[in-house]
């Protein structure tokens, strides 16, 4: 069983930065950050897969160069560093974990993930 608790959201001016955190427990090899605005589907903004040898990171084109994802093994915490924020980044952000090493869906597909945090709001003005 996986438990996820996000923090770090808030309000920021355009061009600013925020770092989201997700305290995790359980199987956390495959994790991701997603965001959702009212009336829209939840979309991936970053994913990470920590394999036996390498760690793979996945970023959609919409955030490449601005967002980075990382995992601190000592703290069991997933991070999303967001820079150069724009009003279009305003959304509820969710941390997700697949709960297994193997998966049917690719890392940026929300169907891959069975466990979700409660979400943290990011507002850019």
């Amino acid at each position: 069983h996986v438990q996820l608790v996000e923090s770090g959201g808030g309000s920021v001016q355009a061009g600013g930065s925020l770092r989201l955190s997700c305290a995790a427990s359980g199987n956390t090899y495959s994790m991701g950050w997603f965001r959702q605005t009212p009336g829209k589907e939840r979309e991936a903004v970053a994913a990470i897969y920590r394999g036996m040898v390498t760690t793979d990171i996945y970023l959609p084109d919409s955030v490449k160069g601005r967002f980075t994802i990382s995992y601190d093994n000592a703290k069991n915490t997933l991070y999303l560093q967001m820079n150069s924020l724009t009003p279009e980044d305003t959304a509820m952000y969710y941390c997700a974990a697949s709960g297994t090493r193997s998966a049917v869906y690719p890392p940026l597909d929300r169907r891959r993930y069975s466990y979700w945090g409660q979400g943290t709001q990011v507002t850019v003005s």
Side-chain angles (χ1 to χ4, degrees):
H1 186 66
V2 177
Q3 291 185 315
L4 306 168
V5 180
E6 301 104 329
S7 62
S11 296
V12 63
Q13 291 189 336
S17 299
L18 278 175
R19 188 177 78 160
L20 306 183
S21 300
C22 175
S25 63
N27 184 321
T28 58
Y29 300 113
S30 179
M31 299 187 72
W33 284 101
F34 288 73
R35 66 186 180 189
Q36 188 171 24
T37 55
K40 292 189 176 180
E41 289 193 355
R42 194 168 293 189
E43 65 171 353
V45 295
I48 187 169
Y49 180 78
R50 298 182 297 121
M52 299 297 288
V53 177
T54 61
T55 294
D56 299 317
I57 290 174
Y58 306 86
L59 297 167
D61 290 342
S62 58
V63 305
K64 279 181 181 176
R66 301 190 301 124
F67 290 12
T68 57
I69 186 172
S70 61
Y71 191 88
D72 186 324
N73 290 319
K75 297 182 178 180
N76 292 326
T77 300
L78 181 73
Y79 297 102
L80 180 69
Q81 178 66 45
M82 305 184 293
N83 300 325
S84 302
L85 287 163
T86 73
E88 288 68 38
D89 295 314
T90 295
M92 185 72 79
Y93 283 71
Y94 297 91
C95 172
S98 68
T100 65
R101 277 197 180 273
S102 61
V104 174
Y105 299 101
L108 295 178
D109 190 321
R110 60 188 172 91
R111 294 173 294 178
R112 179 184 180 99
Y113 302 94
S114 300
Y115 301 94
W116 296 85
Q118 81 286 356
T120 185
Q121 178 68 37
V122 172
T123 302
V124 186
S125 59

